Amino acid sequence: MEKNSKMETGLLGMDNNKVSMSTKLAYALGHIFNDLTAAMWFSYTLIYLQKVSLLEPIMAGTLLLLGQIVDAFTTPIFGFLVDRYCKKKIWHVIGSVLVTLSFPIIFGGFANTSNSIVMFFYILSIVIFQIGWAAVQISHLSMIPSLTSSLLGRTELTAIRYSAQVSSAVVVFVVTWIVLPTNGESMVLLDQHDDYKFRNIVIVVTAFGLTATTLFHILLKGNLLENRSQSQAKTNPDESSWLLDGFSSPRRSWFGTSILLRVAMLYVASRLFITLATVYLPLYIEETAVGGKQALATVPLVSYLSSFIAALLLKYMNRSCGTKICYLCGALIGILSAAITEFGGSHGVVTYTIAILIGAGSSITMVTALSVTAEIIGPRTEKSAFVYSIVTFLDKVVTGLVVVLIERWRCHQQELCPNYNRDTLAIVCASSMLLGLITLLSVSRCLT
């Protein structure tokens, strides 16, 4: 009871620090480059490597897993570095430079297993890209607790950040929709002759990303982050986070670690749903041949528009329903999308309905999971990068392993398994949301 009272007292005392609209807009620009590249990486890497670069499915899945593993293991490293050395914006610049130098190579038509030297540099570019991506992600996430001590304010910043992510994905799919169609034949499938189109898409994406990153560093002043963070530390010396201060003794350390791991699993379930849905939705579209090549852009576009609308409405849902109900609603929407995927048939209306449900479910669960993470950080902003890095670490390992296992067991005889991608999409969506519901029950007493 004393622990819960302390937690509630600390949380109630954090609703007095509002963020100006200009700061919110500036902050939203900081992760757009990462979001643009992530939309390309998760939506089109597998299909690009298999259909354009003509790599075997297991090789394509292994390269995706490699990226996830590098991202996963560099994330806690940057969590330590961002909290300990230099300013957050400096790490953001370093990561952005690495992403700019490496990302265009991934879709540049250089994947070639017959040339070991070329393949080595291709793999190296993936490694550098993921290192830079992790640096930007952790430095940007760690700015949320520094910008405001209000839990509602942190939730709003998280929702704004997610809305910017959705908007970035929309840009990618709009560009893809414009570039990919050829000769007016929407039913033409991708092949190796489409390599230059992906290069054009990457050039446009990189230009957008660099513009957003430049504006972010111009508009968001670094002293705002550092000064406010120090002010919170001085103003609340005795108001410590109920989680982070739980590491002061062996017994409380076990309690804090247990809560942190369960919150991490809540985030993993949300990320697993959105990532695998993003990866396998294009493959499902190609398998069903609904809408042809143009559907590879329009269906994910509809999904992200649905996600954007849900993120905007989540602020009002959270105020009226609370964290637990919001996550429960998102998880149930995700399970419904899996059921319709499996039993709804191959029709255009069904495909777009699935996209809408996936977008809404992913948005609600993702923003809620990040809001829970901000809640456990409390006023201890000097450890924010550490907490975010631990929470995101498990997600990247689990997601990469699941993708490579799915590709390892992929059925190569279409007549024996004509609906492999449909079944995969349905199973991963349902399983991840069920994992989220189970985790939600285990941490329900800790949430508002």
Side-chain angles (χ1 to χ4, degrees):
M1 291 295 293
E2 180 182 353
K3 186 179 298 178
N4 291 337
S5 177
K6 179 181 179 182
M7 177 186 73
E8 292 172 1
T9 301
L11 295 180
L12 289 173
M14 293 174 61
D15 289 329
N16 56 2
N17 197 345
K18 294 184 178 180
V19 183
S20 66
M21 182 58 66
S22 59
T23 301
K24 293 175 185 177
L25 294 176
Y27 177 77
L29 295 170
H31 207 254
I32 283 181
F33 196 4
N34 258 26
D35 295 330
L36 290 167
T37 58
M40 282 290 295
W41 172 259
F42 288 115
S43 295
Y44 297 118
T45 297
L46 279 183
I47 198 168
Y48 169 80
L49 292 176
Q50 293 180 29
K51 304 297 183 180
V52 179
S53 295
L54 303 181
L55 299 185
E56 293 294 325
I58 183 61
M59 184 62 184
T62 301
L63 289 175
L64 191 67
L65 174 62
L66 170 66
Q68 291 300 102
I69 291 176
V70 172
D71 191 2
F73 283 96
T74 53
T75 292
I77 295 175
F78 282 115
F80 172 79
L81 294 176
V82 170
D83 280 337
R84 196 73 178 269
Y85 303 103
C86 300
K87 297 181 179 180
K88 295 177 175 63
K89 291 187 71 176
I90 293 178
W91 290 110
H92 192 281
V93 169
I94 293 173
S96 298
V97 170
L98 293 178
V99 170
T100 303
L101 295 176
S102 57
F103 178 68
I105 297 176
I106 297 176
F107 292 93
F110 302 109
N112 186 358
T113 54
S114 62
N115 191 322
S116 57
I117 297 178
V118 172
M119 198 61 187
F120 170 78
F121 282 104
Y122 187 80
I123 293 174
L124 182 63
S125 69
I126 293 178
V127 172
I128 294 173
F129 165 64
Q130 295 294 345
I131 292 174
W133 203 96
V136 173
Q137 182 195 35
I138 295 303
S139 61
H140 191 256
L141 275 173
S142 66
M143 294 176 188
I144 294 178
S146 297
L147 287 172
T148 178
S149 60
S150 165
L151 289 180
L152 286 177
R154 292 179 181 182
T155 299
E156 187 175 6
L157 281 176
T158 302
I160 290 172
R161 182 182 184 275
Y162 190 82
S163 298
Q165 174 184 332
V166 173
S167 301
S168 302
V170 169
V171 170
V172 170
F173 293 125
V174 168
V175 173
T176 304
W177 179 47
I178 294 173
V179 173
L180 280 185
T182 56
N183 300 325
E185 299 176 6
S186 61
M187 296 302 293
V188 175
L189 300 179
L190 291 173
D191 57 33
Q192 61 268 35
H193 300 295
D194 290 310
D195 58 350
Y196 75 94
K197 298 174 186 174
F198 280 93
R199 283 197 295 269
N200 293 340
I201 293 171
V202 167
I203 291 173
V204 175
V205 164
T206 303
F208 269 111
L210 285 176
T211 301
T213 300
T214 302
L215 290 174
F216 164 75
H217 284 282
I218 292 174
L219 299 176
L220 187 65
K221 306 302 180 183
N223 62 333
L224 178 63
L225 295 169
E226 308 307 324
N227 290 344
R228 188 167 291 185
S229 179
Q230 293 172 7
S231 174
Q232 290 174 16
K234 292 178 181 178
T235 306
N236 303 291
D238 298 322
E239 187 183 87
S240 302
S241 170
W242 60 278
L243 172 64
L244 296 183
D245 283 353
F247 292 96
S248 56
S249 67
R251 183 176 178 181
R252 296 182 68 189
S253 176
W254 177 88
F255 171 79
T257 302
S258 173
I259 294 296
L260 180 57
L261 289 177
R262 280 181 279 170
V263 170
M265 286 306 299
L266 195 69
Y267 179 82
V268 166
S270 305
R271 285 295 304 173
L272 197 62
F273 175 79
I274 186 174
T275 301
L276 294 180
T278 303
V279 169
Y280 287 99
L281 188 58
L283 293 173
Y284 163 74
I285 294 168
E286 188 182 54
E287 179 182 85
T288 57
V290 175
K293 189 186 296 184
Q294 287 183 335
L296 290 174
T298 56
V299 173
L301 175 60
V302 168
S303 178
Y304 275 92
L305 288 174
S306 170
S307 184
F308 180 77
I309 294 172
L312 293 179
L313 297 177
L314 187 59
K315 175 181 177 181
Y316 306 100
M317 291 175 57
N318 196 42
R319 285 179 175 176
S320 59
C321 301
T323 305
K324 291 181 287 188
I325 300 300
C326 284
Y327 195 96
L328 176 64
C329 290
L332 292 177
I333 291 173
I335 293 173
L336 178 61
S337 72
I340 295 177
T341 300
E342 185 65 26
F343 305 109
S346 300
H347 305 286
V349 174
V350 171
T351 302
Y352 284 100
T353 300
I354 293 168
I356 292 171
L357 293 174
I358 287 176
S362 62
S363 178
I364 294 171
T365 56
M366 189 72 259
V367 175
T368 305
L370 283 175
S371 298
V372 172
T373 305
E375 185 174 334
I376 67 175
I377 291 173
R380 296 295 296 271
T381 58
E382 74 278 5
K383 294 185 179 181
S384 58
F386 166 75
V387 174
Y388 279 117
S389 66
I390 294 300
V391 169
T392 57
F393 169 80
L394 195 57
D395 139 59
K396 294 162 184 176
V397 175
V398 172
T399 301
L401 286 174
V402 171
V403 169
V404 80
L405 287 176
I406 291 173
E407 293 306 308
R408 174 66 179 83
W409 294 331
R410 175 172 288 277
C411 177
H412 296 283
Q413 297 181 348
Q414 189 173 2
E415 62 275 9
L416 297 179
C417 45
N419 300 313
Y420 182 84
N421 290 316
R422 183 201 68 186
D423 297 339
T424 299
L425 181 62
I427 291 172
V428 297
C429 286
S431 301
S432 58
M433 288 296 91
L434 286 174
L435 173 63
L437 289 177
I438 294 172
T439 309
L440 180 67
L441 291 175
S442 70
V443 298
S444 60
R445 292 184 179 179
C446 305
L447 304 181
T448 56

